Amino acid sequence: MVGPRWGAIVRVAFLGPEHSFTHMAAERLFPGAEYIACRSITEVFRAVEGYEADYGVVPVENSLEGPVGETLDNLASTMLHVYAALEARISLVLAGRRGAPRLYGHPHALREAARSLDRLAPGVERVAVSSTSEAARRAAEEGALCVCSHRAAAAHGLEVLAESVEDGPNYTRFIALAWRDQPERGERTSIITAVPDEPGSLYRLLEPFASHGVNLKMIYSRPIHGKPWHYNFYIDMEGSRLDERVAEALEEARERSLFLRVLGSYPVLRGP
Amino acid sequence: MVGPRWGAIVRVAFLGPEHSFTHMAAERLFPGAEYIACRSITEVFRAVEGYEADYGVVPVENSLEGPVGETLDNLASTMLHVYAALEARISLVLAGRRGAPRLYGHPHALREAARSLDRLAPGVERVAVSSTSEAARRAAEEGALCVCSHRAAAAHGLEVLAESVEDGPNYTRFIALAWRDQPERGERTSIITAVPDEPGSLYRLLEPFASHGVNLKMIYSRPIHGKPWHYNFYIDMEGSRLDERVAEALEEARERSLFLRVLGSYPVLRGP
């Protein structure tokens, strides 16, 4: 539980459908809330922007597959903040009707379990759908196979044929979006920034973080739509923007950037 | 045409099926070759590694969707080099049977055309498949819709319902893989490297490139499988590793890294 909720029930939009991993993350971050299933990551952002939800929960990075592009793009194009994060180990099961010719899964889940599926379900057609819980729903409807969570398999009455089918330790970081962040509890700070296309520009941007001893936990570049081969950088660092050395590093980096927006300083919960 | 082929026909593996954008890139890079369609990017790497093909052609980065994870992971896990690159503008068409309830596309293509599809095919179920040409094949087989190239639509006898359905200018960079690179023609050099998880490590890695005036064109971090929240960095820079300042920057960066492998120095073609 990361937010104040004296009296009113908080409304939390999440990437659905129900029983998705993001649903579980939303329950962990905001227990006892009213949960609103959205059909896409963009829809979660829209729900919070339009005050239909107080918070939104979406995946932002997976330890096998990297960043979630749709989340990064929406962080750049909206003014929402990161209010909290949750890192959870993801365990996938193979479920459904044994011997079925088709298998549903989220594209990331299919890649994360690729080698296990070659062995467990050789020659089975793999169909990518929008989420692991959608995969379970389809498998139940059509008598097919799927890769999903234990909970989604149970919710759709599917038999679990194999556990832990992911090819390696697999963590996903989820973030809670809101109109405000929690700098006072900020163990991590996230920014979006961009630098000129010239020698040394990224190096000069990073200099203040090195000189102030701020540890960068993640740096992703993401193409800017409409400007081929130009990039925004998404950078996570340890500490809050209320910490003096983080604040000074951010101020100096801002002067060396084309723009620099602080997405938030926030606590990071560990799961499941 | 980038490779020598006096006498023998070169064999070029590509991410198929036939008429994919990668097929067109392979024809542009190696005209008159024998083309071998592979079912996955990993299979293309395997074909070159196992001498079943002289070269392999795969997509590596898209200007809307960013890097192709499967290509980056295989570059890290094999010893193949980048022999040449091609940057091509991708134009997508909506094709197939008007009014069909289902639409096939590569996940990247579906995202790249998302807004156009909301308008042109509202409420139509979107199903992700392994390539744009596979989408065309499915659409022809089932009387469905698809997002693909003009050429794939024509090859499968599909009616083109709308042109240029991508939401913005959309370029993809393809690379040709081989056991050797072309440093003497290298206008670009690619490396994979990693740094310790401590403050300033990435900054110190980039310092030699800045001090030698080497312009970095791209930097992507990619999770290391089995080591959650640890990353390899994929860096493209201008110039050949035969250029003195590139060679010196690489040597100094190597000393500051956990490891540094030069993927190759190679020419970049622009097309189509």
Side-chain angles (χ1 to χ4, degrees):
Chain A
M1 173 60 193
V2 293
R5 55 182 193 90
W6 289 100
I9 295 282
V10 301
R11 299 159 304 163
V12 179
F14 67 95
L15 175 63
E18 282 198 304
H19 314 300
S20 62
F21 285 106
T22 313
H23 190 179
M24 290 185 255
E27 290 175 342
R28 177 74 202 293
L29 286 160
F30 304 99
E34 177 192 339
Y35 306 105
I36 305 164
C38 294
R39 276 168 305 179
S40 71
I41 286 169
T42 301
E43 212 175 88
V44 174
F45 277 81
R46 296 273 176 286
V48 181
E49 274 194 304
Y51 300 99
E52 293 153 44
D54 303 298
Y55 304 100
V57 179
V58 294
V60 65
E61 190 191 6
N62 177 281
S63 69
L64 293 179
E65 283 302 316
V68 180
E70 192 174 351
T71 296
L72 297 189
D73 289 345
N74 275 290
L75 285 170
S77 63
T78 69
M79 293 303 284
L80 296 180
H81 284 94
V82 179
Y83 182 80
L86 169 68
E87 290 180 358
R89 182 158 183 169
I90 299 297
S91 192
L92 297 167
V93 304
L94 174 67
R97 186 172 62 80
R98 205 182 297 271
R102 189 176 256 204
L103 182 153
Y104 289 98
H106 185 274
H108 276 196
L110 292 176
R111 290 236 324 133
E112 286 156 23
R115 271 174 293 168
S116 300
L117 293 177
D118 286 346
R119 186 168 44 79
L120 293 165
V124 171
E125 184 195 26
R126 296 173 201 175
V127 180
V129 293
S130 58
S131 73
T132 49
S133 46
E134 172 65 14
R137 195 190 65 72
R138 292 272 199 110
E141 191 176 283
E142 300 179 20
L145 291 162
C146 70
V147 173
C148 65
S149 68
H150 249 291
R151 172 167 159 178
H156 290 280
L158 296 170
E159 186 188 355
V160 172
L161 305 175
E163 310 220 358
S164 300
V165 296
E166 63 274 12
D167 292 328
N170 179 9
Y171 292 81
T172 294
R173 192 167 64 258
F174 301 89
I175 50 175
L177 307 159
W179 276 105
R180 65 188 186 84
D181 61 341
Q182 306 194 71
E184 69 288 344
R185 295 184 57 201
E187 66 178 275
R188 189 163 300 185
T189 295
S190 296
I191 63 171
I192 304 183
T193 186
V195 293
D197 179 18
E198 58 189 35
S201 59
L202 178 61
Y203 166 72
R204 280 190 294 277
L205 179 85
L206 297 182
E207 195 274 330
F209 300 103
S211 68
H212 289 283
V214 175
N215 196 19
L216 305 184
K217 297 305 290 177
M218 178 197 98
I219 176 166
Y220 278 118
S221 54
R222 176 90 186 141
I224 301 175
H225 286 197
K227 283 183 73 178
W229 317 127
H230 287 76
Y231 304 90
N232 285 331
F233 288 99
Y234 295 76
I235 300 175
D236 281 6
M237 65 202 73
E238 287 177 354
S240 165
R241 60 188 164 85
L242 299 183
D243 301 346
E244 196 173 326
R245 60 202 180 87
V246 175
E248 286 174 7
L250 288 174
E251 208 39 61
E252 292 169 29
R254 190 189 304 276
E255 288 164 17
R256 298 155 187 235
S257 70
L258 296 173
F259 79 95
L260 186 154
R261 186 164 96 77
V262 178
L263 293 169
S265 294
Y266 52 88
V268 182
L269 282 69
R270 269 88 194 173
Chain B
M1 173 62 193
V2 293
R5 54 181 194 90
W6 289 100
I9 295 282
V10 301
R11 299 158 306 164
V12 179
F14 67 95
L15 176 62
E18 283 199 304
H19 313 300
S20 61
F21 285 106
T22 311
H23 191 177
M24 290 186 257
E27 290 175 343
R28 176 74 204 291
L29 285 160
F30 303 98
E34 176 191 339
Y35 306 105
I36 304 163
C38 294
R39 276 168 306 179
S40 71
I41 286 169
T42 301
E43 211 175 89
V44 175
F45 277 81
R46 295 273 177 288
V48 181
E49 273 194 304
Y51 300 99
E52 293 153 43
D54 303 298
Y55 303 100
V57 179
V58 294
V60 66
E61 190 191 5
N62 178 280
S63 68
L64 293 179
E65 283 302 317
V68 180
E70 192 174 351
T71 296
L72 297 190
D73 290 345
N74 276 290
L75 285 170
S77 63
T78 70
M79 292 305 283
L80 297 181
H81 285 94
V82 180
Y83 182 79
L86 168 69
E87 289 181 359
R89 183 159 182 167
I90 299 297
S91 191
L92 297 167
V93 303
L94 174 66
R97 187 171 60 81
R98 204 182 297 271
R102 187 175 259 202
L103 182 153
Y104 290 98
H106 185 274
H108 276 196
L110 291 176
R111 291 233 328 129
E112 286 155 23
R115 273 176 291 168
S116 301
L117 293 177
D118 287 345
R119 186 167 44 80
L120 293 166
V124 171
E125 185 196 26
R126 295 174 201 173
V127 179
V129 292
S130 58
S131 72
T132 49
S133 46
E134 173 63 15
R137 194 190 65 73
R138 290 271 200 114
E141 191 176 282
E142 299 179 21
L145 290 161
C146 69
V147 173
C148 65
S149 68
H150 248 292
R151 171 166 160 177
H156 290 281
L158 297 169
E159 186 188 355
V160 173
L161 305 175
E163 310 220 358
S164 299
V165 296
E166 62 275 13
D167 292 329
N170 179 9
Y171 293 81
T172 294
R173 192 168 62 261
F174 301 89
I175 50 175
L177 308 159
W179 276 105
R180 65 188 186 85
D181 61 342
Q182 306 194 71
E184 69 288 344
R185 295 185 55 201
E187 66 178 275
R188 189 165 299 185
T189 295
S190 296
I191 63 170
I192 305 183
T193 185
V195 294
D197 179 18
E198 58 189 36
S201 60
L202 178 59
Y203 166 73
R204 281 190 293 277
L205 179 84
L206 297 183
E207 196 272 330
F209 300 104
S211 68
H212 289 283
V214 176
N215 196 18
L216 305 184
K217 297 304 291 177
M218 179 197 98
I219 175 165
Y220 278 118
S221 54
R222 176 91 187 141
I224 301 175
H225 286 198
K227 282 184 74 180
W229 317 127
H230 287 75
Y231 304 90
N232 286 330
F233 289 99
Y234 295 76
I235 301 175
D236 281 5
M237 64 202 74
E238 288 177 353
S240 166
R241 61 188 164 83
L242 298 184
D243 301 345
E244 196 173 327
R245 62 203 178 87
V246 174
E248 285 175 8
L250 288 173
E251 207 39 61
E252 291 170 30
R254 190 189 305 274
E255 288 163 17
R256 296 154 187 237
S257 70
L258 296 173
F259 78 94
L260 187 154
R261 185 164 97 79
V262 178
L263 294 169
S265 294
Y266 52 88
V268 182
L269 280 70
R270 269 91 192 172

